[in-house]
Amino acid sequence: MRGKRFGTGLSLAAGALAVCGLAFAPTAAAVAPGTATVNADCGSYGGGDATLTATQSGTSATITLTTSSVTAPLSISQDSLVSELTMVKEGGGIVVFKGTKNPAMSTGDALEVGPLSGTVASGDSLEAFGGTLKVTAFGFITITCTATGPQAPGPFVFD
């Protein structure tokens, strides 16, 4: 009987530790808003509304950009675009998001890049207006886009 009580005690202790671990586990950080829209000018490649979607996990953040206003000039393989998104930080400075993530796109498909990775601090407020997006395809075609006004509903604020 002693072995049974000892085993039950260990099970209860392990369960209590697991519950305590969940109670003190770090929660996922949030960014608000999670999605914003910005109007961008991409020179001879076009321009118009683009959607930015942000996520955060601690100090790591990602942003994905999609727009039907700029389309793929040629068929593009998955993860072949080199992209760099510069966001303006409230109070001064910039944060750069980089990556080579993109879905495969056929000629004429809407442009989508990301998730692009960057580092943020708690309280960072980032805005696309004043920054740039540079996308390079095939090593020699570079599209540079700039926002024509502030993003809506507002800047991304990271936890």
Side-chain angles (χ1 to χ4, degrees):
M1 200 63 177
R2 273 182 95 155
K4 204 176 211 182
R5 278 192 223 148
F6 184 70
T8 302
L10 279 178
S11 294
L12 288 172
L17 283 173
V19 168
C20 286
L22 286 174
F24 294 109
T27 57
V31 56
T35 302
T37 303
V38 66
N39 189 282
D41 177 5
C42 301
S44 61
Y45 290 97
D49 286 342
T51 301
L52 301 165
T53 304
T55 63
Q56 178 185 6
S57 178
T59 60
S60 297
T62 64
I63 296 182
T64 300
L65 182 139
T66 58
T67 180
S68 57
S69 300
V70 177
T71 58
L74 301 168
S75 291
I76 297 172
S77 302
Q78 180 177 345
D79 299 336
S80 63
L81 297 175
V82 177
S83 303
E84 182 177 293
L85 174 64
T86 302
M87 302 282 289
V88 176
K89 192 184 215 181
E90 181 180 273
I94 60 168
V95 175
V96 179
F97 293 83
K98 296 179 181 182
T100 56
K101 297 288 183 189
N102 63 272
M105 292 175 259
S106 298
T107 303
D109 282 355
L111 179 66
E112 180 176 341
V113 296
L116 307 177
S117 301
T119 302
V120 295
S122 181
D124 276 355
S125 179
L126 303 181
E127 167 70 60
F129 186 50
T132 60
L133 171 68
K134 291 184 182 180
V135 180
T136 302
F138 310 110
F140 66 92
I141 298 173
T142 300
I143 301 169
T144 301
C145 302
T146 56
T148 60
Q151 65 191 48
F156 292 121
V157 179
F158 295 88
D159 260 351

